[in-house]
Amino acid sequence: MNFSKSTLIAAASALLILFGAAAPSRATPSIVVDVASGAVLSHDQATASWYPASVTKLMTAYVALEAVRQGRISLETPVMMSPRACSMAPSKMGFRPGSEVTLHNALVMLMVKSANDIAVAIAEGVSGSVEAFADEMNRHSAALGMTQSIWVNPNGLPDSRQVTSARDLAILGRALYLQFPEHANLFNIGAMQLGKQIIPTHNHLLGRYAGADGMKTGFTCSAGFNLVASATRGGRRLIAVVLGAPNPILRTAKTAALLDRGFQSGAAVASLASLPSSGPTAAPDLRESVCHHRGPAAAEFMAEIEDASVPVSSGVPLLDTLGGAPQQQMNAKEIAHLPRPRFEPVSVYVGRAPGYAGPVARARAPGAPVGEQPDLAAYAAQPDAGDASASPISKPAPDAVSLRRAKHAKAVKAARAAAKAAKADAVKVEAVIADEPAPKPKAARSATKPKAAAAQKPAASKAHSAAEPGKS
């Protein structure tokens, strides 16, 4: 009897689910915590070191919001795009050097689009340089008790030194909600609009899972698909962290299942402080299983997703629009396959806020206040490739293109050839896409807020809507 490949994979997945305890476990850390109490409701390898990818941007947002609270910068302060910021690999907004974006708009772009160029502009605007901002990230991280985290850049582009853990990310997510409740909506934006373009969130729980209300996704080949997600039901907010999923659908499904189990049980099994930690170590590299041999990895990951049912109610606006009889319970995996919900987009724009006459935050000497004469070196040519002290993120990833190999095979081959020819490089940048992979953005008109001064209309290339593998 002959069986198709898909049938065999499905059968293997079912066996893994049934006999998960006996199956070899793939390293996919997770944790669920109660935001109010800090109680840990479930955890699995929660202190294992992991590459954060773009969930790094939650730490970037924390440092920026803390700077606002300290009065060092305001949400209306424009941050300026430097050549270093503009050189970042996708996902990115694609603005030209010299463009200005208010810090508030920049934070929205950071959370929704996961723009790597905007992350660097925020870092330079807040601290003067990426390196000085990374120092602030590490100081705040240590103060929060994130003992397994090391930060070297604000966007999560690959660097083997930058690691964190599920536990540390849960601590960070909880701190953002408890210390900055007035900015909670920043992590719950379903879509943003720049000019005529609408860019949706990559957090596929929003609008699909009852009570889902925020946080951030991340992806690189080495890290896998990461997610820090929050949901609130009956006045109780939980945060779930899932790291290393083999694709975005399974990432969403596992997170939904963990949240559902957390809401149903509610029993604390540990505290964040009680989880054993040996400090940061080298993180595993999932490149082969996530970007080259995804089938076996996906089948094995299924063993970690319990067959939990998710109550479908008025908490899911997408399903309310379907009408008809009350919905039955839904399997966690089905949540990820629901159609993309429609959100009222949050408008953002390029340029200063109308009437703004304050300083501009841009690259400058570290420690210098916002508005001081910029460090002109930041706007000059990038450091020589042979300079070993140059930050890895100052060089764009050589093959930062979509995982759709057939469509981009020529671009990948050319990029790899160019990287190989750069014999002077002392630090070889790992070829990877940050967060959701995206094709090269196309040029477009700048989007400026009406009535803004004509002098504040920097040119911009079209903000490209990044798509996860297999999604458009």
Side-chain angles (χ1 to χ4, degrees), residues 289-354:
S289 62
V290 170
C291 289
H292 299 302
H293 304 290
R294 285 173 282 175
E300 192 172 352
F301 190 81
M302 290 296 297
E304 301 182 29
I305 303 177
E306 292 189 9
D307 191 19
S309 57
V310 180
V312 174
S313 63
S314 58
V316 182
L318 174 67
L319 295 173
D320 288 343
T321 63
L322 299 179
Q327 299 291 325
Q328 300 299 313
Q329 289 189 326
M330 179 174 289
N331 182 280
K333 289 178 287 184
E334 296 176 301
I335 290 287
H337 288 285
L338 289 172
R340 183 186 294 276
R342 302 188 108 187
F343 300 99
E344 186 65 30
V346 172
S347 295
V348 294
Y349 56 91
V350 179
R352 304 181 188 182

Short mmCIF file of all heavy atoms in Angstrom, two decimals, residues 289-354:
data_model
loop_
_atom_site.label_atom_id
_atom_site.label_comp_id
_atom_site.label_asym_id
_atom_site.label_seq_id
_atom_site.Cartn_x
_atom_site.Cartn_y
_atom_site.Cartn_z
N SER A 289 16.87 23.50 10.70
CA SER A 289 15.53 22.97 10.90
C SER A 289 14.44 23.96 10.54
O SER A 289 13.33 23.56 10.16
CB SER A 289 15.35 22.51 12.35
OG SER A 289 15.49 23.59 13.24
N VAL A 290 14.72 25.26 10.64
CA VAL A 290 13.69 26.27 10.40
C VAL A 290 13.68 26.74 8.95
O VAL A 290 12.61 26.93 8.36
CB VAL A 290 13.87 27.47 11.35
CG1 VAL A 290 12.97 28.63 10.95
CG2 VAL A 290 13.58 27.06 12.79
N CYS A 291 14.84 26.93 8.35
CA CYS A 291 14.89 27.51 7.01
C CYS A 291 15.28 26.52 5.91
O CYS A 291 15.25 26.87 4.74
CB CYS A 291 15.86 28.69 6.99
SG CYS A 291 15.21 30.13 7.88
N HIS A 292 15.66 25.29 6.27
CA HIS A 292 16.06 24.34 5.23
C HIS A 292 15.30 23.02 5.29
O HIS A 292 15.01 22.44 4.27
CB HIS A 292 17.57 24.08 5.32
CG HIS A 292 18.39 25.31 5.10
ND1 HIS A 292 18.32 26.07 3.96
CD2 HIS A 292 19.29 25.94 5.90
CE1 HIS A 292 19.15 27.10 4.04
NE2 HIS A 292 19.74 27.06 5.22
N HIS A 293 15.01 22.53 6.48
CA HIS A 293 14.32 21.24 6.61
C HIS A 293 13.14 21.41 7.56
O HIS A 293 13.10 20.81 8.63
CB HIS A 293 15.29 20.17 7.12
CG HIS A 293 16.52 20.02 6.28
ND1 HIS A 293 16.49 19.48 5.01
CD2 HIS A 293 17.80 20.36 6.50
CE1 HIS A 293 17.70 19.49 4.49
NE2 HIS A 293 18.52 20.02 5.38
N ARG A 294 12.19 22.19 7.13
CA ARG A 294 11.10 22.58 8.02
C ARG A 294 10.07 21.47 8.27
O ARG A 294 9.40 21.46 9.28
CB ARG A 294 10.39 23.82 7.46
CG ARG A 294 11.19 25.09 7.65
CD ARG A 294 10.54 26.26 6.95
NE ARG A 294 10.81 26.23 5.52
CZ ARG A 294 10.29 27.09 4.66
NH1 ARG A 294 9.46 28.01 5.06
NH2 ARG A 294 10.58 27.02 3.38
N GLY A 295 9.94 20.52 7.33
CA GLY A 295 8.93 19.48 7.49
C GLY A 295 9.10 18.66 8.76
O GLY A 295 8.20 18.60 9.60
N PRO A 296 10.26 18.02 8.96
CA PRO A 296 10.46 17.23 10.18
C PRO A 296 10.35 18.08 11.44
O PRO A 296 9.80 17.63 12.46
CB PRO A 296 11.88 16.69 10.00
CG PRO A 296 12.10 16.67 8.52
CD PRO A 296 11.36 17.87 8.00
N ALA A 297 10.85 19.31 11.39
CA ALA A 297 10.79 20.17 12.57
C ALA A 297 9.34 20.49 12.93
O ALA A 297 8.96 20.49 14.10
CB ALA A 297 11.56 21.47 12.31
N ALA A 298 8.52 20.74 11.91
CA ALA A 298 7.11 21.05 12.17
C ALA A 298 6.39 19.85 12.76
O ALA A 298 5.58 19.99 13.69
CB ALA A 298 6.43 21.50 10.88
N ALA A 299 6.68 18.65 12.24
CA ALA A 299 6.03 17.45 12.75
C ALA A 299 6.41 17.22 14.21
O ALA A 299 5.58 16.88 15.05
CB ALA A 299 6.42 16.25 11.90
N GLU A 300 7.70 17.42 14.52
CA GLU A 300 8.14 17.22 15.90
C GLU A 300 7.55 18.27 16.83
O GLU A 300 7.21 17.99 17.98
CB GLU A 300 9.67 17.27 15.95
CG GLU A 300 10.25 16.81 17.27
CD GLU A 300 11.76 16.68 17.21
OE1 GLU A 300 12.32 16.80 16.10
OE2 GLU A 300 12.37 16.47 18.27
N PHE A 301 7.41 19.48 16.34
CA PHE A 301 6.85 20.55 17.16
C PHE A 301 5.41 20.27 17.55
O PHE A 301 4.93 20.73 18.59
CB PHE A 301 6.94 21.87 16.38
CG PHE A 301 6.62 23.09 17.20
CD1 PHE A 301 7.57 23.67 18.01
CD2 PHE A 301 5.36 23.69 17.13
CE1 PHE A 301 7.28 24.79 18.75
CE2 PHE A 301 5.06 24.82 17.86
CZ PHE A 301 6.04 25.38 18.68
N MET A 302 4.70 19.53 16.70
CA MET A 302 3.31 19.23 16.99
C MET A 302 3.16 18.49 18.31
O MET A 302 2.12 18.54 18.96
CB MET A 302 2.72 18.38 15.86
CG MET A 302 2.53 19.13 14.56
SD MET A 302 1.34 20.46 14.70
CE MET A 302 -0.13 19.51 15.07
N ALA A 303 4.19 17.78 18.73
CA ALA A 303 4.13 17.04 19.98
C ALA A 303 3.97 17.97 21.17
O ALA A 303 3.50 17.56 22.24
CB ALA A 303 5.39 16.20 20.16
N GLU A 304 4.36 19.23 21.00
CA GLU A 304 4.32 20.17 22.10
C GLU A 304 3.00 20.93 22.18
O GLU A 304 2.76 21.69 23.11
CB GLU A 304 5.47 21.17 21.98
CG GLU A 304 6.84 20.51 21.97
CD GLU A 304 7.94 21.54 21.89
OE1 GLU A 304 7.76 22.66 22.37
OE2 GLU A 304 9.01 21.21 21.33
N ILE A 305 2.15 20.76 21.18
CA ILE A 305 0.88 21.49 21.17
C ILE A 305 -0.23 20.57 21.68
O ILE A 305 -0.62 19.62 21.00
CB ILE A 305 0.54 21.99 19.75
CG1 ILE A 305 1.67 22.87 19.23
CG2 ILE A 305 -0.78 22.77 19.76
CD1 ILE A 305 1.45 23.35 17.81
N GLU A 306 -0.70 20.83 22.84
CA GLU A 306 -1.78 20.01 23.38
C GLU A 306 -3.06 20.27 22.59
O GLU A 306 -3.27 21.36 22.05
CB GLU A 306 -2.01 20.35 24.86
CG GLU A 306 -0.85 19.92 25.74
CD GLU A 306 -1.18 20.08 27.22
OE1 GLU A 306 -2.36 20.36 27.52
OE2 GLU A 306 -0.28 19.92 28.02
N ASP A 307 -3.93 19.27 22.59
CA ASP A 307 -5.19 19.39 21.86
C ASP A 307 -6.19 20.19 22.69
O ASP A 307 -7.24 19.70 23.11
CB ASP A 307 -5.74 18.00 21.54
CG ASP A 307 -6.90 18.07 20.57
OD1 ASP A 307 -7.03 19.11 19.88
OD2 ASP A 307 -7.65 17.09 20.48
N ALA A 308 -5.80 21.47 22.96
CA ALA A 308 -6.63 22.32 23.80
C ALA A 308 -7.71 22.98 22.95
O ALA A 308 -7.48 23.34 21.80
CB ALA A 308 -5.77 23.39 24.47
N SER A 309 -8.91 23.15 23.51
CA SER A 309 -9.99 23.84 22.80
C SER A 309 -10.09 25.26 23.32
O SER A 309 -9.95 25.52 24.50
CB SER A 309 -11.31 23.11 23.00
OG SER A 309 -11.62 23.00 24.37
N VAL A 310 -10.30 26.18 22.40
CA VAL A 310 -10.34 27.59 22.74
C VAL A 310 -11.78 28.08 22.66
O VAL A 310 -12.40 28.00 21.59
CB VAL A 310 -9.46 28.40 21.77
CG1 VAL A 310 -9.51 29.87 22.11
CG2 VAL A 310 -8.03 27.89 21.82
N PRO A 311 -12.36 28.56 23.74
CA PRO A 311 -13.74 29.06 23.68
C PRO A 311 -13.86 30.23 22.71
O PRO A 311 -13.10 31.18 22.80
CB PRO A 311 -14.02 29.50 25.12
CG PRO A 311 -12.99 28.81 25.96
CD PRO A 311 -11.79 28.66 25.07
N VAL A 312 -14.78 30.13 21.79
CA VAL A 312 -15.02 31.20 20.84
C VAL A 312 -16.24 31.97 21.31
O VAL A 312 -17.32 31.41 21.48
CB VAL A 312 -15.25 30.63 19.43
CG1 VAL A 312 -15.66 31.75 18.48
CG2 VAL A 312 -14.00 29.95 18.93
N SER A 313 -16.07 33.27 21.55
CA SER A 313 -17.17 34.08 22.06
C SER A 313 -17.11 35.46 21.44
O SER A 313 -16.41 35.68 20.46
CB SER A 313 -17.06 34.19 23.59
OG SER A 313 -15.86 34.86 23.93
N SER A 314 -17.82 36.41 22.06
CA SER A 314 -17.81 37.77 21.53
C SER A 314 -16.44 38.42 21.68
O SER A 314 -16.23 39.52 21.20
CB SER A 314 -18.85 38.63 22.27
OG SER A 314 -18.57 38.65 23.67
N GLY A 315 -15.52 37.72 22.32
CA GLY A 315 -14.17 38.25 22.43
C GLY A 315 -13.39 38.15 21.14
O GLY A 315 -12.29 38.66 21.04
N VAL A 316 -13.92 37.46 20.14
CA VAL A 316 -13.26 37.34 18.85
C VAL A 316 -14.09 38.09 17.81
O VAL A 316 -15.04 37.55 17.25
CB VAL A 316 -13.09 35.85 18.42
CG1 VAL A 316 -12.35 35.76 17.10
CG2 VAL A 316 -12.34 35.09 19.50
N PRO A 317 -13.76 39.36 17.55
CA PRO A 317 -14.57 40.17 16.62
C PRO A 317 -14.72 39.55 15.25
O PRO A 317 -15.76 39.65 14.62
CB PRO A 317 -13.79 41.49 16.55
CG PRO A 317 -12.98 41.52 17.80
CD PRO A 317 -12.63 40.09 18.10
N LEU A 318 -13.68 38.86 14.77
CA LEU A 318 -13.73 38.27 13.43
C LEU A 318 -14.89 37.29 13.32
O LEU A 318 -15.62 37.28 12.34
CB LEU A 318 -12.41 37.55 13.15
CG LEU A 318 -12.35 36.75 11.84
CD1 LEU A 318 -12.42 37.70 10.66
CD2 LEU A 318 -11.10 35.91 11.79
N LEU A 319 -15.08 36.47 14.35
CA LEU A 319 -16.13 35.46 14.28
C LEU A 319 -17.51 36.06 14.53
O LEU A 319 -18.50 35.53 14.07
CB LEU A 319 -15.84 34.35 15.30
CG LEU A 319 -14.56 33.56 14.98
CD1 LEU A 319 -14.24 32.59 16.10
CD2 LEU A 319 -14.70 32.81 13.67
N ASP A 320 -17.58 37.17 15.27
CA ASP A 320 -18.85 37.83 15.49
C ASP A 320 -19.46 38.28 14.17
O ASP A 320 -20.68 38.32 14.00
CB ASP A 320 -18.67 39.04 16.40
CG ASP A 320 -18.38 38.61 17.84
OD1 ASP A 320 -18.64 37.44 18.16
OD2 ASP A 320 -17.91 39.45 18.61
N THR A 321 -18.58 38.63 13.21
CA THR A 321 -19.07 39.14 11.93
C THR A 321 -19.67 38.04 11.07
O THR A 321 -20.35 38.31 10.09
CB THR A 321 -17.94 39.82 11.15
OG1 THR A 321 -16.94 38.85 10.84
CG2 THR A 321 -17.31 40.94 11.96
N LEU A 322 -19.41 36.76 11.43
CA LEU A 322 -19.93 35.66 10.63
C LEU A 322 -21.41 35.42 10.84
O LEU A 322 -22.09 34.86 10.00
CB LEU A 322 -19.14 34.39 10.94
CG LEU A 322 -17.63 34.45 10.65
CD1 LEU A 322 -16.98 33.13 11.03
CD2 LEU A 322 -17.38 34.77 9.19
N GLY A 323 -21.91 35.85 12.01
CA GLY A 323 -23.33 35.71 12.29
C GLY A 323 -23.73 34.26 12.49
O GLY A 323 -22.91 33.37 12.63
N GLY A 324 -25.05 34.00 12.51
CA GLY A 324 -25.54 32.64 12.65
C GLY A 324 -25.59 32.18 14.09
O GLY A 324 -25.57 32.97 15.02
N ALA A 325 -25.64 30.87 14.28
CA ALA A 325 -25.77 30.28 15.60
C ALA A 325 -24.50 30.48 16.40
O ALA A 325 -23.43 30.72 15.84
CB ALA A 325 -26.07 28.79 15.46
N PRO A 326 -24.58 30.40 17.73
CA PRO A 326 -23.39 30.53 18.58
C PRO A 326 -22.32 29.53 18.14
O PRO A 326 -22.62 28.38 17.83
CB PRO A 326 -23.92 30.23 19.98
CG PRO A 326 -25.37 30.56 19.91
CD PRO A 326 -25.81 30.19 18.52
N GLN A 327 -21.06 29.98 18.15
CA GLN A 327 -19.97 29.12 17.69
C GLN A 327 -19.63 28.06 18.73
O GLN A 327 -19.79 28.26 19.92
CB GLN A 327 -18.73 30.00 17.42
CG GLN A 327 -18.95 31.05 16.35
CD GLN A 327 -19.11 30.43 14.99
OE1 GLN A 327 -18.48 29.42 14.69
NE2 GLN A 327 -19.95 31.02 14.16
N GLN A 328 -19.14 26.93 18.25
CA GLN A 328 -18.68 25.88 19.13
C GLN A 328 -17.23 26.15 19.50
O GLN A 328 -16.60 27.06 18.99
CB GLN A 328 -18.81 24.53 18.41
CG GLN A 328 -20.23 24.19 18.00
CD GLN A 328 -21.18 24.11 19.19
OE1 GLN A 328 -20.85 23.48 20.18
NE2 GLN A 328 -22.32 24.74 19.07
N GLN A 329 -16.69 25.31 20.40
CA GLN A 329 -15.31 25.47 20.77
C GLN A 329 -14.41 25.18 19.58
O GLN A 329 -14.75 24.39 18.69
CB GLN A 329 -14.97 24.56 21.94
CG GLN A 329 -15.60 25.01 23.25
CD GLN A 329 -15.07 24.20 24.42
OE1 GLN A 329 -14.78 23.02 24.27
NE2 GLN A 329 -14.96 24.83 25.57
N MET A 330 -13.23 25.83 19.58
CA MET A 330 -12.33 25.73 18.45
C MET A 330 -10.98 25.20 18.90
O MET A 330 -10.47 25.59 19.94
CB MET A 330 -12.17 27.12 17.82
CG MET A 330 -11.23 27.15 16.63
SD MET A 330 -11.23 28.77 15.84
CE MET A 330 -12.86 28.76 15.10
N ASN A 331 -10.42 24.31 18.12
CA ASN A 331 -9.10 23.78 18.39
C ASN A 331 -8.07 24.89 18.25
O ASN A 331 -8.19 25.77 17.40
CB ASN A 331 -8.80 22.65 17.41
CG ASN A 331 -7.46 22.00 17.66
OD1 ASN A 331 -6.44 22.54 17.25
ND2 ASN A 331 -7.46 20.88 18.34
N ALA A 332 -7.02 24.83 19.08
CA ALA A 332 -6.00 25.87 19.06
C ALA A 332 -5.37 26.04 17.68
O ALA A 332 -5.07 27.15 17.25
CB ALA A 332 -4.92 25.55 20.09
N LYS A 333 -5.18 24.93 16.95
CA LYS A 333 -4.57 25.02 15.62
C LYS A 333 -5.46 25.76 14.64
O LYS A 333 -4.97 26.38 13.70
CB LYS A 333 -4.25 23.61 15.11
CG LYS A 333 -3.10 22.93 15.85
CD LYS A 333 -2.86 21.52 15.34
CE LYS A 333 -3.96 20.59 15.82
NZ LYS A 333 -3.70 19.19 15.43
N GLU A 334 -6.78 25.69 14.84
CA GLU A 334 -7.69 26.36 13.93
C GLU A 334 -7.63 27.87 14.07
O GLU A 334 -7.93 28.61 13.12
CB GLU A 334 -9.12 25.87 14.17
CG GLU A 334 -9.31 24.39 13.85
CD GLU A 334 -10.71 23.91 14.19
OE1 GLU A 334 -11.10 24.01 15.37
OE2 GLU A 334 -11.41 23.44 13.27
N ILE A 335 -7.25 28.35 15.25
CA ILE A 335 -7.13 29.79 15.47
C ILE A 335 -6.16 30.40 14.47
O ILE A 335 -6.40 31.45 13.89
CB ILE A 335 -6.63 30.07 16.91
CG1 ILE A 335 -7.72 29.73 17.93
CG2 ILE A 335 -6.19 31.52 17.08
CD1 ILE A 335 -8.87 30.70 17.96
N ALA A 336 -5.02 29.72 14.26
CA ALA A 336 -4.00 30.24 13.36
C ALA A 336 -4.44 30.26 11.90
O ALA A 336 -3.86 30.99 11.09
CB ALA A 336 -2.72 29.42 13.50
N HIS A 337 -5.46 29.47 11.55
CA HIS A 337 -5.90 29.39 10.16
C HIS A 337 -7.09 30.30 9.86
O HIS A 337 -7.57 30.31 8.73
CB HIS A 337 -6.26 27.94 9.81
CG HIS A 337 -5.07 27.04 9.71
ND1 HIS A 337 -4.21 27.06 8.63
CD2 HIS A 337 -4.59 26.09 10.56
CE1 HIS A 337 -3.26 26.17 8.81
NE2 HIS A 337 -3.46 25.57 9.97
N LEU A 338 -7.57 31.03 10.85
CA LEU A 338 -8.68 31.94 10.60
C LEU A 338 -8.25 33.04 9.62
O LEU A 338 -7.08 33.40 9.56
CB LEU A 338 -9.14 32.58 11.91
CG LEU A 338 -9.89 31.67 12.90
CD1 LEU A 338 -10.10 32.40 14.22
CD2 LEU A 338 -11.21 31.23 12.31
N PRO A 339 -9.19 33.58 8.85
CA PRO A 339 -8.84 34.68 7.92
C PRO A 339 -8.27 35.86 8.69
O PRO A 339 -8.54 36.05 9.87
CB PRO A 339 -10.20 35.03 7.28
CG PRO A 339 -11.06 33.84 7.50
CD PRO A 339 -10.61 33.22 8.79
N ARG A 340 -7.46 36.65 8.01
CA ARG A 340 -6.87 37.83 8.64
C ARG A 340 -7.98 38.81 9.02
O ARG A 340 -8.80 39.19 8.18
CB ARG A 340 -5.90 38.53 7.68
CG ARG A 340 -5.19 39.73 8.30
CD ARG A 340 -4.36 40.47 7.27
NE ARG A 340 -3.26 39.68 6.78
CZ ARG A 340 -2.08 39.59 7.39
NH1 ARG A 340 -1.87 40.25 8.52
NH2 ARG A 340 -1.11 38.84 6.88
N PRO A 341 -8.03 39.21 10.29
CA PRO A 341 -9.08 40.17 10.71
C PRO A 341 -8.81 41.56 10.15
O PRO A 341 -7.68 41.88 9.75
CB PRO A 341 -8.98 40.15 12.24
CG PRO A 341 -7.58 39.73 12.51
CD PRO A 341 -7.19 38.79 11.41
N ARG A 342 -9.83 42.38 10.14
CA ARG A 342 -9.69 43.76 9.67
C ARG A 342 -9.63 44.67 10.88
O ARG A 342 -10.45 44.59 11.78
CB ARG A 342 -10.84 44.16 8.76
CG ARG A 342 -11.00 43.27 7.54
CD ARG A 342 -12.01 43.83 6.57
NE ARG A 342 -11.35 44.34 5.38
CZ ARG A 342 -11.98 44.99 4.42
NH1 ARG A 342 -13.26 45.22 4.50
NH2 ARG A 342 -11.34 45.42 3.37
N PHE A 343 -8.63 45.53 10.91
CA PHE A 343 -8.44 46.46 12.01
C PHE A 343 -8.57 47.89 11.50
O PHE A 343 -8.27 48.18 10.34
CB PHE A 343 -7.06 46.30 12.64
CG PHE A 343 -6.78 44.94 13.21
CD1 PHE A 343 -6.04 44.00 12.49
CD2 PHE A 343 -7.25 44.60 14.46
CE1 PHE A 343 -5.77 42.75 13.02
CE2 PHE A 343 -6.98 43.35 15.01
CZ PHE A 343 -6.25 42.43 14.28
N GLU A 344 -9.00 48.78 12.38
CA GLU A 344 -8.95 50.20 12.07
C GLU A 344 -7.50 50.64 12.23
O GLU A 344 -6.94 50.60 13.33
CB GLU A 344 -9.84 50.99 13.04
CG GLU A 344 -9.96 52.47 12.71
CD GLU A 344 -10.66 52.73 11.39
OE1 GLU A 344 -11.53 51.91 11.01
OE2 GLU A 344 -10.33 53.75 10.74
N PRO A 345 -6.83 51.02 11.14
CA PRO A 345 -5.39 51.30 11.23
C PRO A 345 -5.08 52.58 12.01
O PRO A 345 -5.86 53.54 11.98
CB PRO A 345 -4.96 51.42 9.77
CG PRO A 345 -6.20 51.85 9.05
CD PRO A 345 -7.34 51.19 9.77
N VAL A 346 -3.94 52.56 12.67
CA VAL A 346 -3.42 53.75 13.35
C VAL A 346 -2.59 54.53 12.34
O VAL A 346 -1.67 53.98 11.71
CB VAL A 346 -2.56 53.35 14.56
CG1 VAL A 346 -1.86 54.57 15.15
CG2 VAL A 346 -3.43 52.68 15.62
N SER A 347 -2.89 55.79 12.14
CA SER A 347 -2.18 56.60 11.15
C SER A 347 -0.83 57.07 11.67
O SER A 347 -0.70 57.49 12.82
CB SER A 347 -3.02 57.83 10.76
OG SER A 347 -4.20 57.43 10.11
N VAL A 348 0.18 56.94 10.83
CA VAL A 348 1.51 57.46 11.12
C VAL A 348 1.95 58.33 9.94
O VAL A 348 1.36 58.26 8.86
CB VAL A 348 2.53 56.33 11.35
CG1 VAL A 348 2.20 55.55 12.61
CG2 VAL A 348 2.59 55.38 10.15
N TYR A 349 2.97 59.12 10.14
CA TYR A 349 3.41 60.02 9.08
C TYR A 349 4.89 60.29 9.22
O TYR A 349 5.50 60.03 10.27
CB TYR A 349 2.63 61.34 9.11
CG TYR A 349 2.70 62.07 10.43
CD1 TYR A 349 3.70 63.02 10.69
CD2 TYR A 349 1.77 61.82 11.43
CE1 TYR A 349 3.76 63.69 11.90
CE2 TYR A 349 1.82 62.47 12.65
CZ TYR A 349 2.82 63.41 12.88
OH TYR A 349 2.89 64.06 14.09
N VAL A 350 5.50 60.81 8.17
CA VAL A 350 6.90 61.20 8.15
C VAL A 350 6.96 62.70 8.38
O VAL A 350 6.17 63.46 7.82
CB VAL A 350 7.57 60.83 6.82
CG1 VAL A 350 9.02 61.27 6.80
CG2 VAL A 350 7.46 59.34 6.56
N GLY A 351 7.91 63.13 9.18
CA GLY A 351 8.07 64.56 9.44
C GLY A 351 7.71 64.93 10.87
O GLY A 351 7.30 64.08 11.67
N ARG A 352 7.86 66.20 11.18
CA ARG A 352 7.57 66.69 12.53
C ARG A 352 6.08 66.90 12.72
O ARG A 352 5.33 67.07 11.76
CB ARG A 352 8.32 68.01 12.77
CG ARG A 352 9.81 67.92 12.57
CD ARG A 352 10.50 69.25 12.85
NE ARG A 352 11.91 69.20 12.47
CZ ARG A 352 12.76 70.19 12.65
NH1 ARG A 352 12.34 71.33 13.18
NH2 ARG A 352 14.02 70.07 12.28
N ALA A 353 5.68 66.92 13.99
CA ALA A 353 4.30 67.26 14.30
C ALA A 353 4.06 68.72 13.98
O ALA A 353 4.97 69.55 14.14
CB ALA A 353 4.02 66.99 15.78
N PRO A 354 2.88 69.08 13.49
CA PRO A 354 2.61 70.49 13.16
C PRO A 354 2.87 71.39 14.36
O PRO A 354 2.43 71.12 15.48
CB PRO A 354 1.11 70.47 12.81
CG PRO A 354 0.85 69.08 12.35
CD PRO A 354 1.73 68.21 13.19
#
